[in-house]
Amino acid sequence: MKNGDTAPSFELPGVDGKTHTLGSLKGAKATIVVFSCNHCPYVIMNEDRLISAFKDYAAKGVGMAAINSNDAANYPDDSFENMKLRAAEKRFPFPYLRDESQSVARAYGATHTPHLFVFDKDMKLAYTGAVDDDNNYKTRKKAERLYLRDALDDLIAGRPVRTPETHAIGCTIKWK
């Protein structure tokens, strides 16, 4: 996907036992779709930052979902049952969805976990890439560039996103 593209729709099962659609997750000001998983150290290092961002922005009109598209046969840590355990352990405040066919990841052009896609109120891609500029899971530091939060601030204020694209750093999606 490139900036300005419309978000591909989807209908996926969530660890909460419900089926979620893109429309059901849409925020009034912005919508975050993050491709995630259970085992990648880059995802694990960013989970608290994603949870915090969603909690800070949900009341401001931001919707969000995390989608796991990894091949669970070869990466059993990413099975639907293990997704349920991870979501409960971390108390995800957003839906955690399973893309078993990997068709949603392909439609979005997701390559890594985590890989963020942030859409504006009209569901046009406004930002894609990393959570922030702290991309070394071995030596965590304080992030200096908060790409996700900056994009959300810009969208909520009705401004163009100042940094519309960064490189998604993380584990590659595990394709079947």
Side-chain angles (χ1 to χ4, degrees):
M1 292 191 70
K2 61 184 185 303
N3 221 12
D5 286 353
T6 300
S9 62
F10 57 78
E11 184 174 318
L12 295 171
V15 299
D16 58 3
K18 300 175 185 173
T19 298
H20 297 268
T21 64
L22 178 64
S24 71
L25 303 165
K26 183 181 183 295
K29 300 280 186 172
T31 305
I32 306 163
V33 175
V34 57
F35 288 86
S36 190
C37 69
N38 294 338
H39 79 276
C40 174
Y42 294 94
V43 169
I44 292 166
M45 81 172 204
N46 279 295
E47 282 175 330
D48 290 339
R49 290 176 181 187
L50 289 167
I51 290 166
S52 175
F54 181 68
K55 286 180 176 179
D56 290 348
Y57 287 90
K60 297 176 183 178
V62 175
M64 180 175 170
I67 300 175
N68 185 341
S69 300
N70 276 354
D71 173 12
N74 289 312
Y75 297 86
D77 285 350
D78 288 327
S79 72
F80 194 61
E81 288 307 311
N82 283 327
M83 287 174 59
K84 290 177 185 178
L85 295 173
R86 186 71 184 163
E89 175 189 338
K90 294 300 291 184
R91 297 185 178 152
F92 288 164
F94 45 79
Y96 190 24
L97 313 177
R98 181 73 185 144
D99 176 23
E100 184 64 38
S101 71
Q102 300 183 318
S103 62
V104 177
R106 290 186 195 286
Y108 278 71
T111 58
H112 291 79
T113 58
H115 193 163
L116 278 67
F117 295 83
V118 180
F119 299 92
D120 66 15
K121 63 182 176 51
D122 298 319
M123 298 307 287
K124 303 290 187 193
L125 185 63
Y127 171 74
T128 184
V131 175
D132 55 41
D133 67 348
D134 180 11
N135 294 312
N136 188 335
Y137 69 89
K138 292 181 181 176
T139 58
R140 292 295 285 162
K141 65 178 176 98
K142 185 177 185 326
E144 295 175 20
R145 305 247 356 249
L146 306 176
Y147 305 126
L148 172 60
R149 287 177 177 270
D150 288 348
L152 295 174
D153 288 342
D154 290 342
L155 291 171
I156 289 166
R159 298 185 300 256
V161 173
R162 65 193 92 168
T163 305
E165 185 174 355
T166 62
H167 182 67
I169 303 288
C171 302
T172 57
I173 289 184
K174 306 310 181 203
W175 303 106
K176 293 180 181 179

